[in-house]
Amino acid sequence: MHARFESPLATLEPGLRAALAPMLAEPAFNGMLSASQVKALMNAGNLNEDDLCLALLPLAAACALAPVSHFSVGAIARGIGGNLYFGANMEFPGVPLSQTVHAEQSAINHAWLRDEQRLRGITVNYTPCGHCRQFMNELNSGVDIMIHLPGRAPATLSHYLPDAFGPRDLSIQSLLLDKVDHGYRLTAATANGLSTNDPLLQQALQAANQSHAPYSQAHSGVALQLADGRIFAGRYAENAAFNPSLPPLQSALILLNINGGNCLDIRRAVLVERDAAPLSQWDATCSTLRALGCGEIYRRTLEG
Ligand SMILES: [Zn+2]
């Protein structure tokens, strides 16, 4: 079991703790609980799903990286089929605060990267900030997604974000979590680039093809490889209000962190993006990755 779970696990009721411990101890535990695992935990703890998610929040919050704020936020995204996806806030030493990740973004992005189709709700240990309320409004569940907070009655996003502005105001049809394949291919490699068959590059390409950029069409993906060989890929998630957009690097870092990886262990990274797009992720990606100690960073472009 990852050491970060030991303290919060010890605070759970004995029945729930006994059922959850072996799930967390699985080497393959990746921050997600399947619908069948959720049912088993509800039975073991004699809890309904709302109360189970609240009970699990300290474990999600234990995944936070908060060297600046020292304020750990945990979130659990709840899929339409019953899967639960952990998320936590992330701050990066030496990197501007605009590059941080909020817990709700982390949990939602995590669910998206595992190909969840739709979210029913999200459970968070603090009330969502305005940035996250706007980020959630990009989802294909719209303002109907339920928000669950400790000590409060569940309420829809429309309660927390009245008179919302979102993708529908801009006549956008494809929403966040809708399944897409943009069908891009890689342009020809340069002499000092990665081999087209490199799995790092292939995973970044796949992520770009599933990215959400209906406002700029600047689709992009990032793949990161750790010293132990594991690869984590992230997709760009654009937002109707622009600023809550989640860059592809942060998307990949969320998956890396929630899987128990260390952001300071990244050995190789690649960004793939459209060349003829109105914006580029390259400078921001390089800047944050260099602050994390990664010196081997590649860029490849997309066509098609
Ligand atoms: Zn937030």
Side-chain angles (χ1 to χ4, degrees):
M1 184 187 310
H2 197 291
R4 62 190 175 183
F5 295 130
E6 288 171 5
S7 295
L9 182 66
T11 67
L12 297 182
E13 293 298 317
L16 178 58
R17 184 170 69 232
L20 183 59
M23 297 178 189
L24 299 179
E26 283 283 328
F29 180 71
N30 56 12
M32 186 197 96
L33 294 167
S34 69
S36 59
Q37 288 177 313
V38 170
K39 280 208 170 61
L41 293 174
M42 288 164 60
N43 287 335
N46 195 24
L47 297 166
N48 63 30
E49 190 182 308
D50 287 359
D51 290 335
L52 174 65
C53 289
L54 289 169
L56 294 175
L57 275 179
L59 290 121
C63 300
L65 301 176
V68 180
S69 68
H70 306 288
F71 187 77
S72 296
V73 186
I76 298 175
R78 300 161 64 166
I80 195 84
N83 292 350
L84 301 182
Y85 306 89
F86 284 15
N89 57 322
M90 299 174 72
E91 301 155 4
F92 310 105
V95 174
L97 293 180
S98 58
Q99 300 296 305
T100 60
V101 173
H102 295 214
E104 297 91 325
Q105 289 182 300
S106 169
I108 290 166
N109 176 75
H110 178 200
W112 184 39
L113 296 182
R114 300 217 188 277
D115 295 325
E116 173 62 54
Q117 296 177 356
R118 196 178 184 90
L119 296 179
R120 283 183 298 152
I122 186 162
T123 304
V124 197
N125 59 354
Y126 294 98
T127 189
C129 74
H131 178 89
C132 288
R133 295 177 196 202
Q134 186 66 49
F135 184 81
M136 285 189 261
N137 196 33
E138 194 72 21
L139 286 164
N140 59 6
S141 21
V143 291
D144 295 330
I145 187 171
M146 296 298 297
I147 297 175
H148 303 258
L149 298 167
R152 294 211 210 157
T156 60
L157 178 60
S158 61
H159 169 82
Y160 286 97
L161 191 68
D163 200 17
F165 170 80
R168 290 164 183 85
D169 297 303
L170 300 171
S171 303
I172 295 300
Q173 305 296 325
S174 178
L175 302 169
L176 190 59
L177 262 65
D178 284 344
K179 199 165 176 54
V180 292
D181 181 354
H182 303 299
Y184 292 112
R185 302 175 305 278
L186 295 165
T187 50
T190 53
N192 59 353
L194 294 173
S195 152
T196 298
N197 296 326
D198 192 312
L200 188 69
L201 188 53
Q202 286 299 319
Q203 290 204 30
L205 171 63
Q206 188 179 8
N209 274 324
Q210 295 173 297
S211 64
H212 176 75
Y215 309 101
S216 70
Q217 302 298 319
H219 299 104
S220 61
V222 161
L224 309 171
Q225 187 161 37
L226 294 182
D228 64 12
R230 285 186 290 168
I231 294 174
F232 299 98
R235 310 166 186 164
Y236 179 36
E238 219 161 56
N239 188 277
F242 284 16
N243 296 81
S245 301
L246 188 73
L249 173 62
Q250 273 71 3
S251 173
L253 289 168
I254 287 167
L255 195 63
L256 184 161
N257 176 53
I258 218 73
N259 273 267
N262 184 337
C263 296
L264 301 177
D265 281 345
I266 300 166
R267 289 295 175 270
R268 298 195 306 156
V270 63
L271 164 73
V272 299
E273 61 181 353
R274 281 187 56 219
D275 219 8
L279 61 92
S280 169
Q281 304 289 342
W282 178 239
D283 286 348
T285 301
C286 286
S287 171
T288 300
L289 279 171
R290 288 194 185 112
L292 294 172
C294 174
E296 194 176 336
I297 312 169
Y298 301 90
R299 177 176 183 267
R300 282 284 292 273
T301 55
L302 299 166
E303 63 183 7

